[in-house]
C-alpha cells in the first residue's frame, strides 16, 4: 500500500493566541488531521484525497479583523516527516525531573527520561497544556493506580504515568496517526502496562479508572464530561487541559454538576490545567 500524499498549509498568525487555537479547531472540523505549532503560527496537514480548492471557505477566523493570518500551501509526501521532526524537535526538561527527547538526542540525567518521536502527533511537552499535565503527573501519586490518557497524542503522558508506577493504563486517541505513533512510543520506552486504543469516548464502555488525564479542546471536554465521570472510581483524580483561563467557569461548572471538586489550577501563558477530585 502506497503512502498517502498530504497537502500542508503553513499559516503565519499575528498575534499568535488565541488565534492559533481557534484556527486549529476550525481546521479540524474542516478535515485537517494533524498540526504542528511553529514560531510564527501553525502548519496543518490534510490528505490530498480529502482536499479541495474551497477547503478554507468556512474557516471563519481567516476573515477576522482581530488577527492577521496569511498562508501558503504545498503538496508533501509522508516520507518527509522524520527528517522534518529531526530539524525542528528540541529536547525539553520539566521541573528538573522529566526529560522529553527524540531518539537522536543524548539521554538526560533526570529521574524520568522519555524518548518520543512525535511525527505528526500532538504532545512533546513543548506546548503549555502538555507541559502542565506533565507537572500534574510529576506532583501526584500514581503508584498502582489505573489510568486513562484520553486524547493521548504521542502517548507521552501515558508513558510518564507508567514510569511513576501506574498500571494498567489505557491510552486513547481517535486520530490514526496518534494511535500508531503512541504504539511506537510505548514500545520505544519499554512500557509493559499501556494499551493503546483507537477511538473516541464511545470506546470506553464500562471501564473504570483511578485517574483520568484528558488534554483535549474545551468543546470535546464538555461533550464527554459525563462519560469521563462515569469511568472515574470513587476518590479518583481527573486532570484536564486544552483550554484557556476564561474557560474555567464553564469547565468547573460542568465538573461540579457531576460531583467533582476543583482542587488545583496551573496556568502558563493563559492556558490552564485543572485537577478535580471525585
Amino acid at each position: 500500500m502506497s503512502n498517502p500524499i498530504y497537502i500542508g498549509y503553513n499559516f503565519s498568525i499575528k498575534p499568535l493566541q488565541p488565534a492559533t487555537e481557534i484556527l486549529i479547531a476550525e481546521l479540524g472540523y474542516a478535515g485537517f488531521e494533524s498540526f504542528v505549532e511553529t514560531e510564527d503560527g501553525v502548519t496543518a496537514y490534510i490528505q490530498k484525497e480529502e482536499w479541495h480548492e474551497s477547503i478554507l471557505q468556512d474557516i471563519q477566523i481567516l476573515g477576522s479583523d482581530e488577527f492577521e493570518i496569511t498562508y501558503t500551501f504545498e503538496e508533501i509526501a509522508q516520507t518527509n516527516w522524520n527528517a522534518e521532526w529531526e530539524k525542528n524537535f528540541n529536547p525539553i526538561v520539566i521541573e528538573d525531573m522529566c526529560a522529553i527527547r527524540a531518539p537522536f538526542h543524548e539521554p538526560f540525567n533526570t529521574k524520568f527520561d522519555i524518548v518520543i518521536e512525535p511525527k505528526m502527533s500532538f504532545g512533546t511537552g513543548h506546548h503549555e497544556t502538555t507541559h502542565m499535565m506533565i507537572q500534574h503527573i510529576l506532583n501526584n501519586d500514581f503508584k498502582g493506580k489505573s489510568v486513562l490518557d484520553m486524547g493521548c497524542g504521542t502517548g507521552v503522558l501515558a508513558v510518564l504515568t507508567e514510569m511513576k508506577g501506574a498500571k494498567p493504563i489505557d491510552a486513547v486517541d481517535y486520530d490514526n496517526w496518534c494511535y500508531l505513533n503512541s504504539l511506537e512510543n510505548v514500545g520505544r520506552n519499554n512500557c509493559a502496562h499501556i494499551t493503546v486504543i483507537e477511538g473516541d469516548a464511545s470506546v470506553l464502555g464500562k471501564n473504570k479508572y483511578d485517574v483520568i488525564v484528558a488534554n483535549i479542546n474545551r468543546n470535546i471536554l464538555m461533550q464527554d464530561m459525563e462519560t469521563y465521570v462515569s469511568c472515574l472510581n470513587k476518590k479518583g483524580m481527573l486532570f484536564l487541559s486544552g483550554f484557556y483561563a476564561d474557560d474555567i467557569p464553564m469547565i468547573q461548572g460542568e465538573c461540579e454538576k457531576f460531583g467533582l471538586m476543583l482542587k488545583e489550577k496551573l496556568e502558563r501563558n493563559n492556558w490552564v490545567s485543572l485537577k478535580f477530585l471525585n
Side-chain angles (χ1 to χ4, degrees), residues 50-254:
E50 302 292 330
W51 178 86
H52 52 86
E53 289 187 1
S54 58
I55 191 74
L56 300 184
Q57 181 176 327
D58 295 325
I59 308 302
Q60 296 182 7
I61 193 171
L62 295 180
S64 171
D65 294 332
E66 297 180 46
F67 311 104
E68 180 183 337
I69 304 177
T70 58
Y71 64 88
T72 60
F73 66 95
E74 61 181 339
E75 187 174 298
I76 303 173
Q78 181 179 322
T79 51
N80 290 336
W81 297 139
N82 288 350
E84 288 301 309
W85 278 110
E86 288 199 21
K87 287 191 296 185
N88 296 304
F89 180 32
N90 296 315
I92 185 171
V93 177
I94 297 174
E95 294 196 350
D96 296 323
M97 291 179 64
C98 178
I100 303 170
R101 61 182 178 88
F104 48 85
H105 295 134
E106 291 296 320
F108 281 76
N109 185 26
T110 53
K111 185 173 183 180
F112 305 107
D113 184 43
I114 302 177
V115 181
I116 295 291
E117 190 166 355
K119 295 186 178 176
M120 289 172 64
S121 304
F122 178 85
T124 61
H126 292 77
H127 193 273
E128 287 85 349
T129 59
T130 312
H131 191 287
M132 289 184 291
M133 293 294 266
I134 290 170
Q135 285 181 284
H136 276 308
I137 295 170
L138 291 173
N139 295 326
N140 285 271
D141 178 23
F142 279 75
K143 189 170 180 62
K145 296 185 184 296
S146 56
V147 173
L148 167 65
D149 179 4
M150 196 70 204
C152 59
T154 61
V156 63
L157 301 182
V159 168
L160 180 57
T161 64
E162 175 162 330
M163 289 182 174
K164 289 211 65 186
K167 64 177 180 180
I169 303 154
D170 287 341
V172 179
D173 205 297
Y174 76 94
D175 187 292
N176 182 253
W177 274 91
C178 295
Y179 165 72
L180 296 174
N181 192 215
S182 290
L183 283 175
E184 294 174 356
N185 291 324
V186 164
R188 188 172 281 115
N189 289 278
N190 301 311
C191 294
H193 303 292
I194 299 174
T195 301
V196 183
I197 302 166
E198 184 175 2
D200 56 19
S202 65
V203 305
L204 298 178
K206 297 182 179 180
N207 294 349
K208 291 284 189 177
Y209 305 93
D210 299 317
V211 184
I212 297 176
V213 296
N215 185 13
I216 315 178
N217 73 60
R218 182 196 68 187
N219 293 339
I220 294 179
L221 291 176
M222 293 290 291
Q223 170 189 299
D224 294 338
M225 190 67 68
E226 185 173 6
T227 301
Y228 300 154
V229 175
S230 72
C231 293
L232 190 64
N233 285 330
K234 289 295 183 183
K235 298 184 179 179
M237 297 185 290
L238 173 65
F239 298 97
L240 303 175
S241 198
F243 48 92
Y244 296 107
D246 291 346
D247 298 320
I248 290 177
M250 181 186 299
I251 296 290
Q252 184 175 355
E254 188 70 9

